[in-house]
Amino acid sequence: MKSYIPLPAPLDTDLLPAAPPGAAPLQPELLSASAEDALRALRLEAASENTTSSYQSALRYWAAWYWLRYGQPIALPLPANVVLQFVTDHGEHLTAQGAQSGLPAEMDAQLVQQGFKGKLGTLAHSTLVHRIAVLSKAHSHQALPNPCHSTEVREAMSHLRKAYARRGKLEQKKAALTRPLLEQLLATCDDSLKGQRDRALLLFAWASGGRRRSEVADARMEWLQTMGPGQYLYDLRLSKTNQSGSARPENFKPVVGVAGAALAQWLDAAGISEGALFRRIFKNGKVGDAALSALSVNNIVKERCALAGVEGDFSAHSLRSGFVTEAGRQNMALADTMAMTGHQSAATVLGYFRAEAPLANKAARLLDDPQTD
């Protein structure tokens, strides 16, 4: 038997309070302007600072490009042909003269001059994909017909990716900072406040499971539990895979050993007992109150790579990929590794585990083995 919830008995409207003067009744089929504002504010608050910034930057670029291309302000919804024009303007196609894009040189120069583009030329494939995705989300948020879902746009993006793959132009993953490389970076950290902060930051990010740069920037004392001298449990309340802040056992990440000792040393030297774990240090040696930004975390990694003479395409994400790669090298259990990193997909982690597996394949060394009769 199906259960059901009975409707309430009709209300005696005579007993209900009268609506305040000037408050017109709402129409059930329409959302009020104040509710729309509130929902928009909630959406912005729920999004990470990096996500909000990247979306705003992408939409500003769309508006500037549209103005130059069509001579009028952008207005949604856009027809699919506009999106196709954007793809051909910013993606390369082969011609008799070589690879070219459709954006006129003078427009490209204007976009760079006005600060909407970083440099002349085509966009990186990942940037182009991101800008299409942002436009798609802008249409979805307003419940408008979405040109990015059209067959023509989907096919164009598929063809672009395949063409770039054939030319070897797809972006490669950031290089991994495995343990030997990480130790080179740590060797550049002296006993100054900056050196102690950077050492603690690098070890906290790497050893606690390869934290994302936003997670390092957002780390706070209130979420750090002291379990003993130089031993901590960090409650990772918000992450890419737990954006709702749900309480889960796997939220707790150990910060122990050399990482715990470095964190204890930094907190003591900086006099931090509440607020952000990692902060700006001013030229006068004073430790600020505000947290480092995610960009600053990325810059610290790059700066330490330069000081250590570690060459390659490294970023803050290299700490995360380095942790997973090192776990694979040392034959750590997949479940234990995923508990630290917070990855939801075993396939993603196995991709790092297997990154150097071909070099260990015995079948690749058949000619090296001595022949025996």
Side-chain angles (χ1 to χ4, degrees):
M1 182 186 300
K2 294 184 178 180
S3 61
Y4 68 97
I5 301 176
L7 293 174
L11 295 175
D12 185 350
T13 55
D14 292 336
L15 300 178
L16 295 176
L26 299 177
Q27 299 181 40
E29 66 275 11
L30 298 177
L31 191 62
S32 69
S34 60
E36 288 184 348
D37 291 341
L39 292 171
R40 188 180 301 109
L42 284 171
R43 185 167 64 245
L44 290 173
E45 185 180 357
S48 70
E49 180 181 347
N50 289 340
T51 299
T52 301
S53 176
S54 69
Y55 276 34
Q56 290 175 342
S57 176
L59 291 175
R60 283 195 299 269
Y61 186 85
W62 269 102
W65 170 82
Y66 190 89
W67 175 263
L68 290 176
R69 259 310 191 185
Y70 297 99
Q72 57 183 296
I74 193 170
L76 304 186
L78 295 179
N81 281 342
V82 170
V83 184
L84 292 172
Q85 185 67 54
F86 189 90
V87 173
T88 58
D89 273 3
H90 298 90
E92 288 183 341
H93 59 279
L94 292 181
T95 69
Q97 291 74 38
Q100 293 182 356
S101 63
L103 187 65
E106 60 273 16
M107 289 187 182
D108 196 17
Q110 283 182 281
L111 289 167
V112 173
Q113 183 180 2
Q114 297 299 321
F116 295 103
K117 280 186 74 180
K119 60 182 180 180
L120 297 172
T122 56
L123 298 178
H125 180 263
S126 60
T127 303
L128 178 53
V129 170
H130 177 260
R131 296 211 167 143
I132 298 294
V134 170
L135 183 73
S136 176
K137 192 168 286 290
H139 281 79
S140 297
H141 280 166
Q142 299 184 41
L144 297 171
N146 196 333
C148 304
H149 290 172
S150 71
T151 301
E152 296 84 359
V153 171
R154 288 179 181 272
E155 286 184 347
M157 294 303 292
S158 174
H159 295 160
L160 183 71
R161 181 176 181 83
K162 291 175 181 177
Y164 274 32
R166 288 179 180 275
R167 296 182 227 157
K169 288 204 62 175
L170 293 181
E171 297 84 359
Q172 300 299 310
K173 291 183 178 180
K174 295 293 184 182
L177 280 169
T178 51
R179 178 177 175 175
L181 295 177
L182 175 68
E183 289 175 342
Q184 292 183 51
L185 269 61
L186 296 173
T188 70
C189 300
D190 56 23
D191 289 330
S192 66
L193 267 178
K194 188 173 185 295
Q196 292 183 64
R197 180 201 64 188
D198 290 1
R199 182 189 299 114
L201 183 152
L202 291 169
L203 285 167
F204 173 87
W206 198 95
S208 67
R211 304 273 59 87
R212 300 175 178 89
R213 63 181 184 173
S214 59
E215 295 167 359
V216 176
D218 293 341
R220 298 185 62 80
M221 283 293 298
E222 293 86 334
W223 302 336
L224 189 70
Q225 298 181 30
T226 302
M227 310 303 292
Q231 297 185 61
Y232 304 96
L233 274 181
Y234 183 71
D235 185 357
L236 185 65
R237 299 192 176 190
L238 291 172
S239 65
K240 185 176 180 179
T241 54
N242 185 15
Q243 298 189 32
S244 62
S246 301
R248 302 172 180 172
E250 60 268 27
N251 288 356
F252 292 93
K253 311 298 181 184
V255 185
V256 296
V258 293
L263 183 58
Q265 184 180 20
W266 155 245
L267 296 176
D268 181 64
I272 296 175
S273 58
E274 61 181 7
L277 285 186
F278 302 109
R279 310 177 181 192
R280 180 182 177 186
I281 299 172
F282 297 101
K283 291 183 178 180
N284 62 6
K286 183 179 179 181
V287 178
D289 294 327
L292 289 174
S293 66
L295 178 60
S296 295
V297 174
N298 197 57
N299 289 340
I300 287 171
V301 174
K302 289 181 174 291
E303 178 185 343
R304 290 297 168 182
C305 284
L307 289 173
V310 174
E311 298 181 354
D313 190 15
F314 294 100
S315 70
H317 188 74
S318 300
L319 296 168
R320 184 168 175 80
S321 58
F323 175 87
V324 182
T325 303
E326 188 66 34
R329 280 183 174 181
Q330 298 192 27
N331 296 316
M332 295 295 171
L334 179 61
D336 291 342
T337 302
M338 292 179 66
M340 291 288 286
T341 64
H343 278 106
Q344 299 296 301
S345 167
T348 301
V349 180
L350 286 172
Y352 290 106
F353 270 36
R354 296 169 179 163
E356 299 180 8
L359 295 178
N361 190 333
K362 292 183 179 180
R365 302 184 182 278
L366 293 178
L367 291 173
D368 296 343
D369 293 335
Q371 293 285 336
T372 56
D373 295 329

